[in-house]
Amino acid sequence: MIGAAPVRPPGAASAALETAALVHAGLVLVFASWAFGGNAAWSREVLCWLGSLGFLLTAAEFLRRVRSPEASLASYHWLWPLLVFDLLVASSTLHPSFHSVHVEGADVFLPTAASAALTSARPSVTWRALWLFNALFIPAFNLAVSVRRRSRLRALLFVVAANAVMLAVFGALQKLSHASGLFFGAVPSPNARFFASFIYANHWGAFATLMVCCWLGLLFHDSAETGRYRDFLHSPAFAGFIAALILAGAVPLAASRSATLLVALVLLVGLGHAFRRLRRRRSGTSHSSWLISFSLLTAAAVGLLGSLYLAKSEILTRSADTREQVAEMRRTSSVGARAQLYADTWRMARDRVVFGWGLGSYPTVFVLYNRQSSKDGLPVYFEDAHSDWLQSVAEVGVVGSACRGLLILLPLAALWKGRPRSPLVLYPLGGCAVLLAYAWVEFPFGNAAVTAAFWFSFFSAVRLAQLEARDRET
């Protein structure tokens, strides 16, 4: 079932690969989260080199399984969409569709007549984008093939979730001190709405949402129903609930409207799940159930009010921005500049809908399709489409986007037969689903730390589901 390995103590080589995969995946994610979300040029280069070490672990585990007759290679079939994607993108770099012209001290990129179906606007940018994509994917994939003990994967989930809480506290202190830039003003931020080490508040919000889901999975796993603790209030689950509230409360403080809605939805699901569990309790007295319910509601209310109080100025500012945007839409009888951006991006995608314009080509090519200008008549430059789905079709077409989708669908299809039930599986997968939905109207995957957190959450859940199914069979 789902490629699960037989239950047996891991050998020395297997244990070493497991440890290396856990450390490597955690290091990539933690580094990306503190290194400006991976959005600084130097941090992306470090992530490329650091993440690429994972290919050595992938190959080592593959060779170990080949030499072991009872080992399964089923999970390695999940890599063929990545191989196809890499070949398509690499082939596109052989046919540049833009060339550089030096005009008045600046490089300007102009289109050339490219007849090939597979093209790249700027091959050098495409190679770097492809390298980063692989470097963020493969460390998380290694968790699905190398980890053999659920306890060690749970420990890593706790480490990365605790790291997110540290970032939340750091960001809150930075925000409340009115720091002018990142790291308490030590580094100027190109975006006024930064938070913690993240340059863009919505990227922090997406990252925090994923990590809140990890916390919820951990706390429900460690709830009093496991029988190891006297009750919920005396278990690590209650501390995990407080940690999730701290992390979620930092999202409105970052002035991210959309991410605040996302994390509020996730917390409501978690609270509903908690109360549903309490109603089903068969051990303990009704008094203890009421005490736990009251404690949960009190903690949630205090967290909500505290977050609203601390984020009062940001909420008022963003509310004014929202009213201004609504008034502008009424005045112009339109749905705003975002809709125009999506329409122009779709025109760009439609012209090369099969294979796209090349990975990383969006900012170069979109200048030909952009119909927006500022109030003073100057052109508006867009680095991202503010919709990862649309940008993916524009850059790598429906074929490349399908390959990316299969990297998710193939593991999910394999898990379907096992019907995973553990909160440690369902909550991280739910967080990934929320992020994919968010990517329709934002660009969370434009941030390396968010991308690393997505693949980490996804493959951690996949592997935990595999191990859960294995243990049920024995």
Side-chain angles (χ1 to χ4, degrees), residues 275-353:
F275 290 133
R276 184 166 172 263
R277 277 198 168 192
L278 287 172
R279 285 199 305 269
R280 291 185 172 185
R281 281 174 58 113
R282 298 187 182 275
S283 60
T285 64
S286 59
H287 173 73
S288 65
S289 296
W290 277 107
L291 177 61
I292 294 171
S293 299
F294 177 77
S295 300
L296 285 175
L297 286 174
T298 301
V302 170
L304 174 63
L305 293 175
S307 176
L308 292 176
Y309 175 77
L310 293 175
K312 181 172 61 176
S313 61
E314 283 76 17
I315 292 173
L316 292 175
T317 301
R318 298 302 279 160
S319 297
D321 292 343
T322 302
R323 289 193 297 270
E324 183 179 337
Q325 290 169 355
V326 171
E328 179 67 17
M329 286 188 287
R330 288 176 176 173
R331 186 182 65 81
T332 59
S333 299
S334 69
V335 291
R338 186 66 66 90
Q340 183 65 58
L341 174 61
Y342 293 160
D344 292 342
T345 300
W346 174 240
R347 287 195 304 116
M348 171 183 166
R350 195 173 52 198
D351 284 350
R352 286 188 177 270
V353 72

Side-chain angles (χ1 to χ4, degrees), residues 22 147 149-157 460 463-464:
L22 288 165
V147 177
R149 286 168 284 187
R150 284 191 289 173
S151 59
R152 302 196 74 185
L153 193 48
R154 287 197 303 269
L156 181 60
L157 275 169
S460 293
R463 187 53 179 162
L464 285 167

Side-chain angles (χ1 to χ4, degrees), residues 142-180:
N142 286 337
L143 297 177
V145 294
S146 297
V147 177
R148 288 161 183 79
R149 286 168 284 187
R150 284 191 289 173
S151 59
R152 302 196 74 185
L153 193 48
R154 287 197 303 269
L156 181 60
L157 275 169
F158 174 80
V159 169
V160 299
N163 172 72
V165 174
M166 292 172 60
L167 275 165
V169 174
F170 170 72
L173 294 174
Q174 185 174 253
K175 178 70 72 171
L176 296 175
S177 67
H178 305 289
S180 59

